[in-house]
Amino acid sequence: MPETFDPSQPDLQQKAKEMSKSKFLYVTYIRTTADKVWDALTNKELMKSYWFNMHQESNWTAGSSWEMKDSKGEVWDSGTILESQRPHRLVISWQHQHHEDARAEGYSRMTYLIESAGLLVKLTVSHESGVENSDLIAKVSGGWPMILSSLKSLLESGEALPYPRKAA
């Protein structure tokens, strides 16, 4: 049975459900299992390799807090786990903390949908904002493809992609 966050602030989940003015959508197929994808999405140490030394902290249950931190422990993003259905669906309310223009937009909603596809797993990532022409969605649209490609590489070959901005 899926866990769904029933917030003490009744409008938080409703606002998250209404988001659709700006959206990033990415689908990839990975030769692995749904459980391994879930573990990679929720395991702090695995994240560091494919998120280029960033990681997320949460207990991954509906209603729990969520933070994205850099290697120094600085919080870049924070929010709440809205839904958690291992190993199929994870929904996070997401507010950027590092850049004022993106932080001022308030909360966005990020959804991982993990589906079996024969010998593969179909991973769909949707990141939505209720803000038209969202600066946050523009920013994450540049990062998600590299992060998800690195995740795919890690799960299929055991090695994440190198950080593209580091000198060879």
Side-chain angles (χ1 to χ4, degrees):
M1 182 161 124
E3 280 187 67
T4 302
F5 179 46
D6 184 16
S8 59
Q9 305 157 332
D11 64 332
L12 177 64
Q13 195 168 20
Q14 183 60 32
K15 284 180 182 176
K17 286 182 179 179
E18 293 171 359
M19 294 186 186
S20 64
K21 292 191 179 192
S22 297
K23 184 174 185 174
F24 170 81
L25 182 67
Y26 192 91
V27 177
T28 189
Y29 290 83
I30 306 171
R31 186 184 306 267
T32 191
T33 66
D35 283 321
K36 287 181 181 178
V37 171
W38 181 273
D39 289 343
L41 295 174
T42 59
N43 179 296
K44 177 179 169 178
E45 294 308 313
L46 280 175
M47 274 181 234
K48 289 178 184 179
S49 61
Y50 71 88
W51 272 88
F52 309 105
N53 229 12
M54 299 286 282
H55 68 276
Q56 300 167 43
E57 294 182 4
S58 180
N59 71 14
W60 308 107
T61 59
S64 64
S65 63
W66 168 88
E67 291 182 324
M68 171 82 71
K69 295 182 177 181
D70 65 17
S71 60
K72 297 174 192 166
E74 183 178 349
V75 176
W76 281 66
D77 303 280
S78 63
T80 303
I81 305 296
L82 298 176
E83 295 178 44
S84 181
Q85 183 183 357
R86 178 187 175 92
H88 303 290
R89 183 176 169 85
L90 184 63
V91 182
I92 301 171
S93 72
W94 181 308
Q95 184 179 36
H96 187 71
Q97 301 297 321
H98 199 71
H99 298 287
E100 181 56 36
D101 53 347
R103 187 168 66 85
E105 291 183 3
Y107 286 90
S108 61
R109 179 182 66 196
M110 192 285 305
T111 302
Y112 290 121
L113 182 59
I114 305 162
E115 302 171 278
S116 293
L119 297 175
L120 305 173
V121 170
K122 178 183 177 185
L123 174 61
T124 303
V125 176
S126 172
H127 203 142
E128 303 174 75
S129 172
V131 175
E132 201 165 319
N133 300 316
S134 166
D135 186 58
L136 174 68
I137 298 303
K139 287 180 183 342
V140 301
S141 294
W144 275 121
M146 179 58 76
I147 291 162
L148 296 170
S149 294
S150 189
L151 169 64
K152 177 179 172 67
S153 179
L154 176 68
L155 291 173
E156 291 182 344
S157 74
E159 195 172 319
L161 298 178
Y163 188 57
R165 295 188 183 128
K166 286 187 178 177

CSV table of all heavy atoms in Angstrom, one decimal, residues 71-102:
chain,number,residue,atom,x,y,z
A,71,SER,N,29.1,18.4,-0.8
A,71,SER,CA,30.1,17.6,-0.1
A,71,SER,C,30.5,18.3,1.2
A,71,SER,O,31.1,17.7,2.1
A,71,SER,CB,31.3,17.4,-0.9
A,71,SER,OG,31.9,18.6,-1.3
A,72,LYS,N,30.2,19.6,1.4
A,72,LYS,CA,30.5,20.4,2.6
A,72,LYS,C,29.4,20.4,3.6
A,72,LYS,O,29.5,20.9,4.7
A,72,LYS,CB,30.9,21.8,2.2
A,72,LYS,CG,32.1,22.0,1.4
A,72,LYS,CD,32.3,23.4,1.0
A,72,LYS,CE,33.4,23.5,-0.1
A,72,LYS,NZ,33.4,24.8,-0.8
A,73,GLY,N,28.2,19.8,3.2
A,73,GLY,CA,27.1,19.7,4.0
A,73,GLY,C,26.1,20.9,3.9
A,73,GLY,O,25.1,21.0,4.6
A,74,GLU,N,26.4,21.8,2.9
A,74,GLU,CA,25.5,22.9,2.7
A,74,GLU,C,24.2,22.4,2.0
A,74,GLU,O,24.3,21.7,1.0
A,74,GLU,CB,26.2,24.0,1.8
A,74,GLU,CG,25.4,25.2,1.6
A,74,GLU,CD,26.1,26.2,0.7
A,74,GLU,OE1,27.3,26.1,0.5
A,74,GLU,OE2,25.4,27.2,0.3
A,75,VAL,N,23.1,22.9,2.5
A,75,VAL,CA,21.8,22.5,1.9
A,75,VAL,C,21.5,23.4,0.6
A,75,VAL,O,21.5,24.6,0.7
A,75,VAL,CB,20.6,22.7,2.9
A,75,VAL,CG1,19.3,22.5,2.2
A,75,VAL,CG2,20.9,21.9,4.1
A,76,TRP,N,21.3,22.7,-0.5
A,76,TRP,CA,21.0,23.3,-1.8
A,76,TRP,C,19.5,23.3,-2.0
A,76,TRP,O,19.0,24.2,-2.7
A,76,TRP,CB,21.8,22.6,-2.9
A,76,TRP,CG,23.2,23.1,-3.0
A,76,TRP,CD1,24.2,22.9,-2.1
A,76,TRP,CD2,23.8,23.9,-4.0
A,76,TRP,NE1,25.3,23.5,-2.5
A,76,TRP,CE2,25.1,24.1,-3.7
A,76,TRP,CE3,23.3,24.4,-5.2
A,76,TRP,CZ2,26.0,24.8,-4.5
A,76,TRP,CZ3,24.2,25.1,-6.0
A,76,TRP,CH2,25.5,25.3,-5.7
A,77,ASP,N,18.8,22.2,-1.6
A,77,ASP,CA,17.4,22.1,-1.8
A,77,ASP,C,16.8,21.4,-0.6
A,77,ASP,O,17.5,20.6,0.1
A,77,ASP,CB,17.1,21.2,-3.1
A,77,ASP,CG,17.8,21.7,-4.3
A,77,ASP,OD1,17.2,22.7,-4.9
A,77,ASP,OD2,18.8,21.2,-4.7
A,78,SER,N,15.5,21.6,-0.3
A,78,SER,CA,14.9,21.0,0.8
A,78,SER,C,13.4,20.8,0.5
A,78,SER,O,12.9,21.5,-0.4
A,78,SER,CB,15.1,21.8,2.1
A,78,SER,OG,14.5,23.0,2.0
A,79,GLY,N,12.8,20.0,1.3
A,79,GLY,CA,11.3,19.7,1.1
A,79,GLY,C,10.8,18.6,1.9
A,79,GLY,O,11.4,18.3,3.0
A,80,THR,N,9.8,18.0,1.4
A,80,THR,CA,9.1,16.9,2.2
A,80,THR,C,8.8,15.7,1.2
A,80,THR,O,8.5,16.0,0.0
A,80,THR,CB,7.8,17.5,2.7
A,80,THR,OG1,8.0,18.6,3.5
A,80,THR,CG2,7.0,16.4,3.5
A,81,ILE,N,8.9,14.5,1.7
A,81,ILE,CA,8.5,13.4,1.0
A,81,ILE,C,6.9,13.3,1.0
A,81,ILE,O,6.3,13.2,2.0
A,81,ILE,CB,9.0,12.1,1.6
A,81,ILE,CG1,10.6,12.1,1.7
A,81,ILE,CG2,8.5,10.9,0.7
A,81,ILE,CD1,11.3,12.2,0.4
A,82,LEU,N,6.3,13.5,-0.2
A,82,LEU,CA,4.9,13.5,-0.3
A,82,LEU,C,4.3,12.1,-0.5
A,82,LEU,O,3.2,11.8,0.1
A,82,LEU,CB,4.4,14.4,-1.5
A,82,LEU,CG,4.8,15.9,-1.4
A,82,LEU,CD1,4.4,16.6,-2.7
A,82,LEU,CD2,4.1,16.5,-0.2
A,83,GLU,N,5.0,11.3,-1.3
A,83,GLU,CA,4.6,9.9,-1.5
A,83,GLU,C,5.8,9.0,-1.5
A,83,GLU,O,6.8,9.4,-2.1
A,83,GLU,CB,3.8,9.7,-2.8
A,83,GLU,CG,2.5,10.4,-2.9
A,83,GLU,CD,1.9,10.2,-4.3
A,83,GLU,OE1,1.9,9.1,-4.8
A,83,GLU,OE2,1.4,11.2,-4.8
A,84,SER,N,5.7,7.8,-0.9
A,84,SER,CA,6.8,6.9,-1.0
A,84,SER,C,6.2,5.5,-1.1
A,84,SER,O,5.5,5.0,-0.2
A,84,SER,CB,7.6,7.0,0.3
A,84,SER,OG,8.7,6.0,0.3
A,85,GLN,N,6.4,4.9,-2.3
A,85,GLN,CA,5.9,3.5,-2.6
A,85,GLN,C,7.1,2.7,-3.2
A,85,GLN,O,7.2,2.6,-4.4
A,85,GLN,CB,4.7,3.6,-3.6
A,85,GLN,CG,4.1,2.3,-3.8
A,85,GLN,CD,3.0,2.3,-4.9
A,85,GLN,OE1,2.6,3.4,-5.3
A,85,GLN,NE2,2.5,1.2,-5.2
A,86,ARG,N,7.8,2.1,-2.3
A,86,ARG,CA,9.0,1.4,-2.7
A,86,ARG,C,8.6,0.1,-3.5
A,86,ARG,O,7.7,-0.6,-3.0
A,86,ARG,CB,9.8,0.9,-1.4
A,86,ARG,CG,11.0,0.1,-1.8
A,86,ARG,CD,11.7,-0.4,-0.5
A,86,ARG,NE,12.8,-1.3,-0.9
A,86,ARG,CZ,14.0,-1.0,-1.1
A,86,ARG,NH1,14.4,0.3,-0.9
A,86,ARG,NH2,14.9,-1.8,-1.5
A,87,PRO,N,9.2,-0.2,-4.6
A,87,PRO,CA,10.2,0.5,-5.3
A,87,PRO,C,9.6,1.1,-6.6
A,87,PRO,O,10.3,1.2,-7.6
A,87,PRO,CB,11.1,-0.7,-5.7
A,87,PRO,CG,10.1,-1.8,-6.0
A,87,PRO,CD,9.0,-1.6,-5.0
A,88,HIS,N,8.4,1.7,-6.5
A,88,HIS,CA,7.8,2.2,-7.7
A,88,HIS,C,7.6,3.7,-7.9
A,88,HIS,O,7.6,4.2,-9.0
A,88,HIS,CB,6.4,1.5,-7.8
A,88,HIS,CG,6.5,0.0,-7.8
A,88,HIS,ND1,7.0,-0.7,-8.9
A,88,HIS,CD2,6.1,-0.9,-6.9
A,88,HIS,CE1,7.0,-2.0,-8.6
A,88,HIS,NE2,6.4,-2.1,-7.4
A,89,ARG,N,7.4,4.4,-6.8
A,89,ARG,CA,7.1,5.8,-6.9
A,89,ARG,C,7.6,6.6,-5.7
A,89,ARG,O,7.4,6.2,-4.5
A,89,ARG,CB,5.6,5.9,-7.0
A,89,ARG,CG,5.0,7.3,-7.2
A,89,ARG,CD,3.5,7.2,-7.4
A,89,ARG,NE,2.9,8.6,-7.4
A,89,ARG,CZ,2.8,9.4,-8.4
A,89,ARG,NH1,3.3,9.0,-9.6
A,89,ARG,NH2,2.2,10.6,-8.2
A,90,LEU,N,8.2,7.7,-5.9
A,90,LEU,CA,8.7,8.6,-4.9
A,90,LEU,C,8.4,10.0,-5.4
A,90,LEU,O,8.7,10.4,-6.5
A,90,LEU,CB,10.2,8.4,-4.7
A,90,LEU,CG,10.8,9.2,-3.6
A,90,LEU,CD1,10.2,8.8,-2.2
A,90,LEU,CD2,12.3,9.0,-3.5
A,91,VAL,N,7.6,10.8,-4.5
A,91,VAL,CA,7.3,12.2,-4.9
A,91,VAL,C,7.8,13.1,-3.8
A,91,VAL,O,7.5,12.8,-2.6
A,91,VAL,CB,5.7,12.3,-5.0
A,91,VAL,CG1,5.4,13.8,-5.4
A,91,VAL,CG2,5.2,11.3,-6.0
A,92,ILE,N,8.5,14.2,-4.2
A,92,ILE,CA,9.1,15.1,-3.2
A,92,ILE,C,8.7,16.5,-3.5
A,92,ILE,O,8.7,16.9,-4.7
A,92,ILE,CB,10.6,15.0,-3.3
A,92,ILE,CG1,11.1,13.6,-3.1
A,92,ILE,CG2,11.3,16.0,-2.4
A,92,ILE,CD1,12.6,13.3,-3.4
A,93,SER,N,8.2,17.2,-2.5
A,93,SER,CA,8.1,18.7,-2.6
A,93,SER,C,9.5,19.2,-2.5
A,93,SER,O,10.3,18.8,-1.6
A,93,SER,CB,7.2,19.3,-1.5
A,93,SER,OG,7.8,19.3,-0.3
A,94,TRP,N,9.9,20.2,-3.4
A,94,TRP,CA,11.3,20.5,-3.6
A,94,TRP,C,11.4,22.0,-3.6
A,94,TRP,O,10.7,22.7,-4.5
A,94,TRP,CB,11.7,19.9,-4.9
A,94,TRP,CG,13.1,20.1,-5.4
A,94,TRP,CD1,13.8,21.3,-5.5
A,94,TRP,CD2,14.0,19.1,-5.8
A,94,TRP,NE1,15.0,21.0,-6.0
A,94,TRP,CE2,15.1,19.7,-6.2
A,94,TRP,CE3,13.8,17.7,-6.0
A,94,TRP,CZ2,16.2,18.9,-6.8
A,94,TRP,CZ3,14.9,17.0,-6.5
A,94,TRP,CH2,16.1,17.6,-6.9
A,95,GLN,N,12.1,22.6,-2.7
A,95,GLN,CA,12.4,24.1,-2.8
A,95,GLN,C,13.9,24.3,-2.9
A,95,GLN,O,14.6,23.8,-2.0
A,95,GLN,CB,11.8,24.8,-1.7
A,95,GLN,CG,12.0,26.4,-1.8
A,95,GLN,CD,11.4,27.2,-0.7
A,95,GLN,OE1,11.4,26.7,0.5
A,95,GLN,NE2,10.9,28.3,-1.0
A,96,HIS,N,14.3,25.0,-3.9
A,96,HIS,CA,15.8,25.4,-4.0
A,96,HIS,C,16.1,26.4,-2.9
A,96,HIS,O,15.4,27.3,-2.6
A,96,HIS,CB,16.0,25.9,-5.4
A,96,HIS,CG,17.5,26.1,-5.6
A,96,HIS,ND1,18.4,25.1,-5.8
A,96,HIS,CD2,18.3,27.2,-5.7
A,96,HIS,CE1,19.6,25.5,-6.0
A,96,HIS,NE2,19.6,26.8,-5.9
A,97,GLN,N,17.3,26.2,-2.3
A,97,GLN,CA,17.7,27.1,-1.2
A,97,GLN,C,19.0,27.9,-1.6
A,97,GLN,O,19.3,28.9,-0.9
A,97,GLN,CB,18.1,26.3,0.0
A,97,GLN,CG,16.9,25.4,0.5
A,97,GLN,CD,15.7,26.3,1.0
A,97,GLN,OE1,15.9,27.3,1.6
A,97,GLN,NE2,14.5,25.8,0.6
A,98,HIS,N,19.7,27.6,-2.6
A,98,HIS,CA,21.0,28.2,-2.9
A,98,HIS,C,20.9,29.5,-3.7
A,98,HIS,O,21.7,30.4,-3.4
A,98,HIS,CB,21.9,27.2,-3.5
A,98,HIS,CG,23.3,27.5,-3.4
A,98,HIS,ND1,24.0,27.4,-2.3
A,98,HIS,CD2,24.2,27.9,-4.4
A,98,HIS,CE1,25.3,27.7,-2.5
A,98,HIS,NE2,25.4,28.1,-3.7
A,99,HIS,N,20.1,29.6,-4.7
A,99,HIS,CA,19.9,30.8,-5.5
A,99,HIS,C,18.6,31.5,-5.2
A,99,HIS,O,17.6,30.8,-5.4
A,99,HIS,CB,20.0,30.4,-7.0
A,99,HIS,CG,21.3,29.8,-7.4
A,99,HIS,ND1,22.5,30.5,-7.5
A,99,HIS,CD2,21.7,28.5,-7.7
A,99,HIS,CE1,23.5,29.7,-7.8
A,99,HIS,NE2,23.0,28.5,-7.9
A,100,GLU,N,18.6,32.7,-4.8
A,100,GLU,CA,17.4,33.5,-4.4
A,100,GLU,C,16.3,33.4,-5.5
A,100,GLU,O,15.2,33.3,-5.1
A,100,GLU,CB,17.8,34.9,-4.0
A,100,GLU,CG,16.6,35.7,-3.5
A,100,GLU,CD,15.8,35.1,-2.4
A,100,GLU,OE1,16.4,34.4,-1.5
A,100,GLU,OE2,14.6,35.2,-2.4
A,101,ASP,N,16.7,33.6,-6.7
A,101,ASP,CA,15.6,33.7,-7.8
A,101,ASP,C,14.8,32.4,-7.8
A,101,ASP,O,13.6,32.4,-7.9
A,101,ASP,CB,16.2,34.0,-9.1
A,101,ASP,CG,17.4,33.1,-9.6
A,101,ASP,OD1,17.9,32.4,-8.7
A,101,ASP,OD2,17.8,33.2,-10.7
A,102,ALA,N,15.5,31.2,-7.7
A,102,ALA,CA,14.8,29.9,-7.7
A,102,ALA,C,14.1,29.7,-6.4
A,102,ALA,O,13.0,29.1,-6.4
A,102,ALA,CB,15.8,28.8,-8.0
